[in-house]
Amino acid sequence: MTLSFFDQFMSPMYLGIPLMALALTLPWILYPKPTTRWLNNRLLTLQGWFINRFTQQIFQPINMGGHKWALLLTSLMLLLITLNMLGLLPYTFTPTTQLSLNMAFAVPLWLATVIIGMRNQPTHALGHLLPEGTPTLLIPILIIIETISLFIRPLALGVRLTANLTAGHLLIQLIATAAFVLLPLMPTIALLTALLLFLLTLLEVAVAMIQAYVFVLLLSLYLQENV
C-alpha cells in the first residue's frame, strides 16, 4: 500500500494509545536543571544566557505589570523550539503540525491578554477598536473590521505555526523522494537534489526556531497592548 505524504502528520498510536502526550513531555527531560553550585557547567551557562537574553528582548518594551508573564512565555518559547527541532529528526512526530495543539496554545493566552486589558483599562482596550480621527460614516464599519481582526488573532497564530512547519516537512519529503528515485537513473541529478535537500534542512532548522520566536513575540505584543 502506498502511503500518502500527509501520513507523517497523523498522531502516532501504540496499542491504541495516542503518543501525543509522550511527545509533549519529552522536552522536560532534555533540559538540565539548574544546580545550587556557584559555578555551573558550560551547558547550564549557555542555557541560562539564552533564557536571560530572550527574556530581556521580549519584555524590554513591556511595563512591570506584564513581567509576570516572563516565566510562562519563556517556557512556551523553549517548548515550541524543542518540539519543532525534534520533529526534524528521522522517524519522529512533530506535535506542532497539529492545528488543534497550536490553537490550544494560542486561544487561552490571547484570551488572557484581552481579559487583562478589559479588566485593568477597559477604555484603552476598547479604544483599539476605533482609531482616532475616524470619519463618522466609517465608525460602524471600522468597529466591525477591528473586532473581526481582534478575534482572528489566535487563529492566525495557530495557522501560521502549523502551515510553516507542515509546508517545510512536505518539501523535505518530496525532495528526499525525488533524490531516492533519481539515484539509479541520473546519479548527478540525484546528488544535486541531495544537496538541495541539505540546504532545505538547514532552512527548516531556522524556520523551526523563528516560528517559535514569532509565536511568543506576537503574544508579547498582544500583552503590551493590554497591560
Side-chain angles (χ1 to χ4, degrees), residues 84-213:
N84 295 347
M85 297 290 288
L86 290 177
L88 294 173
L89 297 175
Y91 303 103
T92 56
F93 170 68
T94 312
T96 44
T97 56
Q98 306 294 313
L99 182 60
S100 56
L101 176 68
N102 297 332
M103 293 301 293
F105 286 141
V107 173
L109 294 174
W110 164 82
L111 187 59
T113 61
V114 174
I115 292 175
I116 287 175
M118 292 295 184
R119 185 188 65 181
N120 295 340
Q121 41 188 7
T123 305
H124 180 72
L126 293 175
H128 290 294
L129 301 179
L130 185 62
E132 187 177 355
T134 304
T136 306
L137 294 177
L138 295 180
I139 287 178
I141 300 176
L142 277 181
I143 290 178
I144 295 174
I145 292 175
E146 291 296 331
T147 304
I148 293 175
S149 68
L150 177 66
F151 284 96
I152 282 179
R153 284 179 174 182
L155 181 63
L157 279 176
V159 170
R160 181 187 295 107
L161 183 59
T162 304
N164 280 282
L165 295 179
T166 302
H169 284 64
L170 283 175
L171 277 175
I172 288 177
Q173 185 170 2
L174 285 170
I175 295 177
T177 304
F180 181 76
V181 171
L182 290 173
L183 185 59
L185 303 175
M186 293 178 285
T188 305
I189 303 298
L191 289 177
L192 293 177
T193 308
L195 177 61
L196 178 62
L197 177 63
F198 175 73
L199 296 177
L200 180 63
T201 304
L202 295 181
L203 177 63
E204 282 305 306
V205 170
V207 168
M209 295 187 288
I210 290 172
Q211 288 304 316
Y213 175 76

